[in-house]
Amino acid sequence: MSAETADSAGPADGTAGRDAAGDRRREQRGWYFYDFACSVYSTSVLTVFLGPYLTSVAKAAADADGYVHPLGVPVRAGSLFAYAVSASLVVAVILMPIVGAAADRTGRKKPLLAAAAYTGATATAAMFFLDGHRYLLGTFLLIVANASISVSMVLYNAYLPQIAGPEERDAVSSRGWAFGYTSGALVLVLDLVLYTGHDSFGLSESEAVRICLATAGVWWGAFTVVPLRRLRDRHMKGAGDGAAGSGWRQLTATLRDMRRHPLTLSFLLAYLVYNDGVQTVISQASVYGSEELGLSQTTLITAVLLVQVLAVAGALGMGRMARVHGAKHTILGSLVVWTLILVAGYFLPAGSPVFFYALAAAIGLVLGGSQALSRSLFSHLVPRGKEAEYFSAYEMSDRGLSWLGPLVFGLAYQLSGSYRDAIISLVIFFVAGSVLLARVPVRRAVAAAGNPVPERI
């Protein structure tokens, strides 16, 4: 008897059913806490501090022409961070399908989740040692941490179809994002206190930044304990066959199987394109604000804090909109807003925090909802028993194949020397993604995957 069947079986008095519902809610609460744990990396490290700080370290190590030479390759110092993000996601592409296939074959997601989470948390904590001219150390730690969080999210997302029924996934997914944005906002407040008051704490500006980076890793590791205690593995048929040597064979089988679900692949392609734009905006916004608009680090922190606060409301609000208009149409509306945000960003005047805050508010209102609804929509398109395998492909679209946007951004700056040209180049990802998503018949796609079709999707 499978774990899912066992959960639903029991006496006629409904006691077992109530116990199963309570267990499911307990798992859901534990599941939310991984977003609470790792989102601090995405906000404090990737979005706020590391981009401008690594760029400053690279500029300090640059030659007279403004270039650094990692492995002998001339790279404009201002492009290094974007290239490092792109490289980290290429590493993730290699690892994620193998980890996802192994998780489904063995049914043991938790040990793999723990390994990925604590590798990333350790690399993030080690960013405390990023000072002086150590741009190569910073690049290496960024690649390890960013690849690790991508791998861990494959396993985290694969739990969603197991802990939430079809009608509740939009709400559960949105709450997970809301937990993540709540933790991001809380830690950013603490970071803001430390950074702005670094003199009173007897710290230099560089030391304050490195402490903010390192404490994000400690936070990530500490709160990962909660989901590891509350989530449980489902041992699928064939457990024990997921040896490391079978990873590539399983990956090949997964890709062949996905060809049997062309509508699921159509959604993945659309998501790959528009989410590439989302991830690039998130990772490069602080570099754009500091280098092109001349905004202070304090302004950037408070702007991202505003994003975090509004993203909680945005994720929950768009979850409610999806119940009325369907997830697909709600996502399409958010992509129109994303396009307008980039156009406005291109014309944003330098040295004007007010306009930057307005743009941050708009990002916050659509960021959480577009990501949460995309995740829950995809969960309806996954054949039962193949959650981790298919979510590895989803995570490749979410993070692993989001290397193209940072690469385009970096190349645009490398060639033009203008971050405005770099930011406007991302519009194509939202426009093309909208067109591709509009063409996906999601109700037919859910039915083709063998899943019940929700009343509103």
Side-chain angles (χ1 to χ4, degrees):
M1 182 181 293
S2 70
E4 289 81 359
T5 303
D7 287 345
S8 61
D13 65 4
T15 303
R18 289 194 298 271
D19 290 344
D23 289 344
R24 188 173 70 252
R25 286 193 295 272
R26 184 176 186 274
E27 278 195 278
Q28 288 173 0
R29 288 191 291 268
W31 186 79
Y32 300 150
F33 265 92
Y34 190 66
D35 251 324
F36 191 85
C38 71
S39 291
V40 172
Y41 165 82
S42 299
T43 53
S44 291
V45 177
L46 195 63
T47 304
V48 176
F49 287 108
L50 188 57
Y53 186 68
L54 183 58
T55 300
S56 69
V57 171
K59 286 184 173 181
D63 60 22
D65 296 321
Y67 286 81
V68 290
H69 300 268
L71 304 178
V73 179
V75 174
R76 193 188 289 264
S79 295
L80 180 69
F81 176 69
Y83 288 154
V85 172
S86 184
S88 72
L89 298 173
V90 171
V91 173
V93 166
I94 298 171
L95 296 177
M96 288 191 299
I98 301 172
V99 172
D104 277 337
R105 289 178 67 87
T106 64
R108 293 177 57 79
K109 296 183 184 70
K110 279 206 295 186
L112 295 169
L113 175 61
Y118 285 109
T119 298
T122 301
T124 305
M127 290 177 185
F128 178 79
F129 301 103
L130 174 58
D131 61 356
H133 292 179
R134 296 178 178 174
Y135 73 92
L136 286 176
L137 174 63
T139 301
F140 171 75
L141 293 175
L142 169 57
I143 290 172
V144 172
N146 220 39
S148 295
I149 197 171
S150 297
V151 171
S152 73
M153 292 301 290
V154 170
L155 304 158
Y156 169 69
N157 287 334
Y159 277 103
L160 180 58
Q162 297 177 348
I163 65 173
E167 300 295 340
E168 60 179 342
R169 285 182 201 163
D170 285 349
V172 170
S173 182
S174 295
R175 288 189 202 111
W177 282 107
F179 262 63
Y181 288 120
T182 299
S183 74
L186 174 60
V187 173
L188 275 178
V189 169
L190 300 177
D191 289 342
L192 182 62
V193 171
L194 178 64
Y195 180 81
T196 56
H198 61 83
D199 286 334
S200 62
F201 291 108
L203 300 171
S204 67
E205 182 177 328
S206 172
E207 288 171 336
V209 170
R210 290 189 287 119
I211 289 173
C212 291
L213 294 172
T215 52
V218 174
W219 180 284
W220 182 1
F223 283 100
T224 295
V225 172
V226 179
L228 293 180
R229 288 178 62 88
R230 293 195 173 187
L231 292 172
R232 60 186 179 86
D233 285 331
R234 274 77 168 170
H235 294 279
M236 311 301 292
K237 183 179 179 180
D241 297 333
S246 68
W248 285 106
R249 291 193 300 272
Q250 182 60 48
L251 171 60
T252 302
T254 300
L255 294 175
R256 282 200 304 267
D257 184 76
M258 291 187 72
R259 291 171 59 187
R260 297 170 47 235
H261 302 281
L263 297 180
T264 300
L265 284 175
S266 296
F267 173 80
L268 271 179
L269 176 61
Y271 181 69
L272 183 156
V273 174
Y274 72 73
N275 187 64
D276 206 342
V278 172
Q279 296 298 326
T280 306
V281 172
I282 293 170
S283 66
Q284 305 303 320
S286 287
V287 174
Y288 182 73
S290 63
E291 298 295 323
E292 182 68 34
L293 302 180
L295 302 175
S296 68
Q297 187 73 66
T298 300
T299 298
L300 299 178
I301 296 171
T302 51
V304 175
L305 179 59
L306 178 62
V307 170
Q308 298 300 111
V309 172
L310 291 178
V312 175
L316 298 176
M318 287 182 65
R320 294 190 185 94
M321 289 178 61
R323 289 200 292 269
V324 177
H325 304 289
K328 175 183 173 179
H329 289 99
T330 305
I331 295 168
L332 285 171
S334 75
L335 297 182
V336 173
V337 177
W338 275 110
T339 303
L340 296 175
I341 287 170
L342 286 180
V343 173
Y346 178 80
F347 293 104
L348 211 61
S352 179
V354 174
F355 289 109
F356 192 74
Y357 286 140
L359 219 57
I363 290 174
L365 290 174
V366 294
L367 175 60
S370 60
Q371 292 178 319
L373 292 177
S374 296
R375 178 171 63 186
S376 62
L377 179 56
F378 180 71
S379 73
H380 293 285
L381 310 181
V382 178
R384 189 175 178 84
K386 298 181 181 293
E387 290 85 3
E389 291 181 40
Y390 274 61
F391 266 109
S392 71
Y394 174 86
E395 192 64 21
M396 285 176 66
S397 300
D398 189 8
R399 297 175 189 268
L401 291 185
S402 293
W403 55 268
L404 183 59
L407 180 61
V408 168
F409 187 94
L411 284 173
Y413 178 75
Q414 176 110 356
L415 296 174
S416 69
S418 169
Y419 282 107
R420 293 186 188 273
D421 291 342
I423 203 73
I424 200 64
S425 69
L426 303 179
V427 166
I428 186 63
F429 292 100
F430 294 102
V431 174
S434 298
V435 171
L436 292 171
L437 178 60
R439 295 170 59 88
V440 179
V442 291
R443 299 185 68 84
R444 191 146 52 91
V446 174
N451 295 320
V453 181
E455 181 180 349
R456 185 77 64 181
I457 191 170

